Amino acid sequence: MQTKRMTFSSRWLPYALLAPQVLITVVFFIWPASQALWQSMLRQDAFGLRTTFVWFRNFERLFDNPLYLASMKTTAIFAISTTLLAMSLSLLFAVMVNRMLRSREWYTTFLVWPYAVAPAIAGVLWWFMFNTSVGIVPYMLEGFGYDWNHRLDGNDAMILVVLAAAWKQISYNFLFFLAGLQSIPQSLLEAAAIDGAGRTKRFWTIVFPLLSPTTFFLMVVNVVYAMFDTFGVIHATTEGGPAQATNILVYNVFRDGFVNGNLGASAAQSVVLMGIVVVLTVVQFRFIERRVNY
Amino acid sequence: MVENDRFGSLLAHLILILGVAAVVFPVYVAVIASTHAPGTFLQGVMPLLPGSHAIENYRTVIFEGRAQAGAPPIGLMLWNSFVMAMMIAVGKIAISLLSAFAIVYFRFRFRIFFFWVIFLTLMLPVEVRIVPTYAVVANLGLLNSYAGLSIPLIASATATFLFRQFFMTVPEEMLEAARVDGAGPMKFFKDILLPLSITNIAAMFVIMFIYGWNQYLWPLLVTNDERYYTVVMGIQRMVTGGDSEPLWHLVMATVVMAALPPILVILFMQRLFVKGLVETEK
């Protein structure tokens, strides 16, 4: 890793400059993470009196637990649906905005602000619209003969949290897609147009392939978002229900650790999640390196 | 661009208007709900036009709160959110500037090692290590304090990377000139590097303020004293507190108040916001 050609020299100053950040990182990140690793191999007895070292038994138990496996499946469904919905809508909006001239700024302004809404608030907003007694959407759905009830029906609850999570993420994706679209050379599009390719054809044969770095990057970011940042959406609305239908992994760690007080199991789940984050981060950085040489 | 396509651009406007409407609608509904009297919600589906109780509802949630809704007044919660967001944003920027300065402008032992220590924070979001981090904060006696709310969230690899990236683009001649004039490292940092970084600092501030304001899980864990509740987590208590239907007019007034400050930040600083967002991900 480079520095400047010419640098300052001091025995102690660089360490002093780094001290605050390194200290906070060690105390609040690395130490707790290593604690999680250690605790994931311990088990307490029912009264919390004795703690025994059990190697990987907590993990074995975890992967034998049908509830945990169900939670993994729920997380996968939730993350994939949220990513697909948020990305396809924002790509559509970005392509449409990109062909505007005068109104571009206006549409952009109207599309970016949901980024500022906290996931928990996004959850409450959608939860209110879908509320079975006062909500506006169930009322309209009734007109179509559909009886909406996210308190009893797991699918309805899943649709609700996916909508809320995707709604908030559209602005982020939109901005990145728009930036990606604007960096596509106009000359390519003009050449294709002269050769007689229509808009649709130009999009699928030129624009979409050239956007693929952006698309791939956003895919990773959206999956990370859906897996980790959506705790608020779940906790403020369905609380994992009904019958675990929206119980994603992050919510499950919280519940086992703080509500059920099962530290070993919660720590083991933390370790599994850390593994997932590490894999996703590595994938993302691999890709960024490739993009630099592009 | 190349062809003139009336129908196509009409269709594009139509799609965008529908899209914007869909994006705005949930917030519109919330604003409308916050202007109605409590009785409105007992008569079935909620209306789509504003009611006449706006001032009354907002006054209730900001100054009284507790009485009917089972929650403290949100005036204090808004203040707590503001303090937390400011501490996180300012703290993150300060420590990231210092460490990026050290990494770019000095050669010293274990430089790469420290860089990786900082990098690791990217891989450890609060959500994946909640129980042990809570234990650390509890042992340090930081539960129910502004320090406990903000310090554990201050370390940030993204801000450090951004400033490192930017410092690398500052011309070498700046440093040479400063050294010829006899400026030491801290003077160079304060009088040359900081003024040059001001746009980046502002862009970072917008992103980090929103990040801090919108924290949910962390305040939920480290506060159980009403005096330290933040507004985003306070909403959850209003919605799920009690067995009866939530008092929607008050809940929605709170939602609007909680969402407004970061939305205003984005709307007024859109350019900085876009810059901050796009640059941190490079």
Side-chain angles (χ1 to χ4, degrees):
Chain A
M1 200 184 49
Q2 335 135 258
T3 49
K4 295 284 184 179
R5 242 183 313 122
M6 190 193 225
T7 51
F8 290 109
S9 57
S10 166
R11 264 178 177 285
W12 57 271
L13 188 58
Y15 300 104
L17 290 169
L18 278 171
Q21 177 143 27
V22 170
L23 196 71
I24 291 175
T25 308
V26 170
V27 173
F28 294 109
F29 285 74
I30 294 175
W31 169 251
S34 53
Q35 284 285 300
L37 278 174
W38 170 241
Q39 278 169 4
S40 71
M41 297 185 197
L42 299 179
R43 180 171 303 151
Q44 285 187 327
D45 65 8
F47 307 102
L49 298 175
R50 242 159 27 104
T51 309
T52 35
F53 188 76
V54 295
W55 285 105
F56 297 107
R57 288 254 301 283
N58 284 332
F59 292 96
E60 284 167 22
R61 270 198 161 185
L62 202 56
F63 288 108
D64 280 340
N65 182 350
L67 281 183
Y68 189 70
L69 296 178
S71 171
M72 281 196 143
K73 198 176 142 207
T74 307
T75 312
I77 294 172
F78 175 69
I80 293 172
S81 330
T82 306
T83 304
L84 279 181
L85 184 64
M87 284 184 65
S88 49
L89 283 179
S90 45
L91 178 59
L92 176 69
F93 295 156
V95 170
M96 296 302 155
V97 167
N98 195 41
R99 49 185 286 176
M100 304 298 170
L101 293 173
R102 272 167 302 164
S103 50
R104 184 182 288 179
E105 295 269 316
W106 274 101
Y107 283 125
T108 305
T109 305
F110 272 112
L111 287 170
V112 297
W113 58 265
Y115 178 85
V117 178
I121 294 182
V124 172
L125 286 174
W126 285 83
W127 197 53
F128 178 57
M129 287 209 306
F130 279 88
N131 183 284
T132 38
S133 51
V134 298
I136 196 135
V137 182
Y139 178 77
M140 291 194 300
L141 285 175
E142 215 165 56
F144 293 104
Y146 187 83
D147 187 18
W148 176 273
N149 195 338
H150 57 261
R151 290 192 179 167
L152 296 175
D153 186 323
N155 284 333
D156 286 358
M158 179 57 96
I159 293 172
L160 171 62
V161 288
V162 166
L163 283 175
W167 175 76
K168 189 194 141 40
Q169 193 64 2
I170 284 178
S171 32
Y172 184 94
N173 297 343
F174 169 79
L175 282 172
F176 276 86
F177 273 133
L178 192 62
L181 287 170
Q182 284 168 353
S183 67
I184 290 174
Q186 282 296 308
S187 54
L188 286 179
L189 297 173
E190 276 160 23
I194 289 167
D195 287 346
R199 264 185 200 278
T200 322
K201 181 144 197 204
R202 289 202 302 267
F203 177 78
W204 289 111
T205 54
I206 299 174
V207 176
F208 194 69
L210 284 176
L211 267 184
S212 63
T214 311
T215 313
F216 184 73
F217 161 80
L218 284 177
M219 232 159 70
V220 178
V221 171
N222 278 262
V223 169
V224 170
Y225 161 79
M227 289 188 74
F228 301 103
D229 294 342
T230 49
F231 174 85
V233 176
I234 307 283
H235 186 254
T237 60
T238 62
E239 299 189 295
Q244 325 283 332
T246 54
N247 182 25
I248 61 173
L249 291 172
V250 175
Y251 191 74
N252 204 49
V253 179
F254 166 80
R255 202 165 54 179
D256 280 353
F258 281 92
V259 185
N260 302 335
N262 190 346
L263 291 183
S266 172
Q269 293 177 36
S270 289
V271 172
V272 172
L273 286 179
M274 278 186 233
I276 297 174
V277 184
V278 169
V279 170
L280 288 171
T281 315
V282 170
V283 168
Q284 189 176 333
F285 270 75
R286 263 286 159 86
F287 144 75
I288 283 177
E289 269 163 30
R290 238 195 16 222
R291 186 170 60 168
V292 171
N293 302 327
Y294 190 80
Chain B
M1 182 190 108
V2 205
E3 66 264 70
N4 189 1
D5 160 15
R6 266 282 158 98
F7 175 72
S9 73
L10 210 67
L11 187 71
H13 277 293
L14 192 71
I15 290 175
L16 282 173
I17 288 166
L18 283 177
V20 167
V23 166
V24 174
F25 191 63
V27 175
Y28 175 78
V29 170
V31 173
I32 294 301
S34 71
T35 62
H36 280 279
T40 320
F41 300 97
L42 299 174
Q43 298 152 12
V45 78
M46 70 153 286
L48 278 180
L49 293 172
S52 53
H53 287 67
I55 298 169
E56 192 184 319
N57 289 343
Y58 282 93
R59 194 190 292 134
T60 310
V61 291
I62 293 176
F63 300 108
E64 296 166 31
R66 167 116 257 165
Q68 310 101 322
I74 66 162
L76 181 63
M77 291 199 245
L78 286 168
W79 170 248
N80 289 339
S81 286
F82 178 75
V83 172
M84 181 184 176
M86 285 302 276
M87 281 176 77
I88 289 177
V90 172
K92 263 181 196 277
I93 290 171
I95 65 170
S96 303
L97 276 170
L98 292 178
S99 43
F101 178 55
I103 284 172
V104 173
Y105 281 95
F106 291 87
R107 286 201 195 103
F108 54 94
R109 263 163 165 266
F110 305 120
R111 202 169 62 92
I112 306 282
F113 169 75
F114 284 126
F115 187 78
W116 279 98
V117 169
I118 293 170
F119 182 79
L120 272 180
T121 54
L122 267 189
M123 301 192 183
L124 300 169
V126 183
E127 284 79 1
V128 310
R129 55 187 165 82
I130 40 177
V131 179
T133 315
Y134 173 81
V136 168
V137 173
N139 287 334
L140 291 174
L142 293 177
L143 296 181
N144 290 317
S145 71
Y146 289 130
L149 278 172
S150 53
I151 294 176
L153 301 177
I154 274 180
S156 156
T158 43
T160 312
F161 289 164
L162 172 80
F163 290 126
R164 175 185 167 265
Q165 216 74 348
F166 173 70
F167 290 166
M168 293 306 291
T169 66
V170 173
E172 299 270 351
E173 289 76 10
M174 293 279 187
L175 177 58
E176 285 163 25
R179 287 187 66 167
V180 168
D181 289 344
M186 289 324 282
K187 188 158 178 55
F188 172 74
F189 178 71
K190 186 165 77 67
D191 289 341
I192 297 180
L193 225 40
L194 276 190
L196 284 175
S197 321
I198 206 75
T199 329
N200 283 296
I201 292 177
M204 210 62 233
F205 183 85
V206 173
I207 302 290
M208 293 307 174
F209 182 86
I210 293 170
Y211 166 85
W213 183 279
N214 286 349
Q215 284 303 310
Y216 180 75
L217 174 59
W218 189 243
L220 199 67
L221 297 182
V222 300
T223 62
N224 50 30
D225 180 343
E226 284 177 1
R227 280 175 303 155
Y228 290 99
Y229 282 179
T230 64
V231 67
V232 175
M233 65 161 284
I235 289 170
Q236 192 265 342
R237 309 228 162 193
M238 290 179 83
V239 177
T240 50
D243 296 328
S244 56
E245 270 289 297
L247 295 163
W248 287 114
H249 59 299
L250 297 184
V251 173
M252 287 301 137
T254 312
V255 161
V256 172
M257 291 303 295
L260 202 59
I263 289 179
L264 289 181
V265 167
I266 284 200
L267 291 184
F268 283 106
M269 295 188 236
Q270 197 176 330
R271 228 161 264 269
L272 282 173
F273 159 69
V274 173
K275 180 180 162 64
L277 198 65
V278 177
E279 304 242 315
T280 44
E281 298 294 355
K282 268 184 191 161

